[in-house]
Amino acid sequence: MAVKKLPNDAEIDTTLVRQLADILKETELSEIEVERGELKIRVARELTVAAGPVTYAAAPAPAAAPAAAPAPAAPMPSDPATIVSRSGEEVKSPMVGTVYLQASPEAPPFVNIGDKVKKGQTLLIVEAMKTMNPIQAPRDGVVADVLVGDAQPVEFGEPLVLLEA
């Protein structure tokens, strides 16, 4: 265990910090925090979004109109033959959160079905704990299907986008 002394006699386990940094890379999270007694370690990385800055602001709802319900999720096929016939690579959610298909409500979607994408290009965003996490294309390809709707909650490992070669 590699330990580094700080000026105030606190000790930091540098191996733990490196492990936390590795977890960030593996899960594509933007930050992680661990507490041990009075010691708190927060490891964060700066994320860049190719489509520009991501801003979300709650739109003021008209006083007399009821709040609109979120768009329904794309229906899942119930026919097993339909499910098996999907071909391509599923880009899955690395976390639990809410999906946003565009940078802001007025902006165009990051991708549409049929778009050619490059490795690292932002496909959509998963918001988790007030942090916007861009989900990037793992490789070059064509968007065969977008499997989620805007503002839809998603689970860890849930397929988001289907990419074809």
Side-chain angles (χ1 to χ4, degrees):
M1 173 169 95
V3 176
K4 183 169 180 140
K5 281 274 198 182
L6 295 178
N8 62 355
D9 288 335
E11 292 181 353
I12 292 186
D13 180 354
T14 57
T15 304
L16 174 62
V17 174
R18 290 182 197 283
Q19 289 172 342
L20 293 173
D22 289 341
I23 291 170
L24 286 180
K25 287 178 189 173
E26 292 170 12
T27 60
E28 296 182 13
L29 291 172
S30 59
E31 65 182 67
I32 190 167
E33 189 172 308
V34 174
E35 286 188 51
R36 287 188 177 169
E38 291 186 20
L39 179 65
K40 183 189 281 188
I41 298 174
R42 180 177 165 268
V43 179
R45 64 184 178 132
E46 185 174 318
L47 298 175
T48 57
V49 178
V54 178
T55 56
Y56 284 93
M76 288 299 295
S78 57
D79 178 17
T82 305
I83 295 171
V84 172
S85 69
R86 280 198 318 201
S87 65
E89 179 181 351
E90 291 179 338
V91 178
K92 297 181 180 183
S93 180
M95 66 198 73
V96 174
T98 303
V99 168
Y100 294 102
L101 301 178
Q102 63 269 355
S104 68
E106 306 83 33
F110 288 109
V111 294
N112 293 301
I113 295 172
D115 285 355
K116 290 182 181 179
V117 295
K118 296 283 185 194
K119 180 179 180 177
Q121 180 178 339
T122 299
L123 302 173
L124 47 81
I125 293 173
V126 175
E127 182 264 330
M129 298 177 61
K130 308 264 189 235
T131 301
M132 301 301 169
N133 300 284
I135 306 304
Q136 300 173 340
R139 60 174 174 79
D140 292 356
V142 176
V143 177
D145 201 359
V146 177
L147 306 171
V148 292
D150 191 46
Q152 174 183 333
V154 293
E155 296 293 325
F156 172 80
E158 183 173 337
L160 305 171
V161 175
L162 191 62
L163 282 184
E164 292 180 337

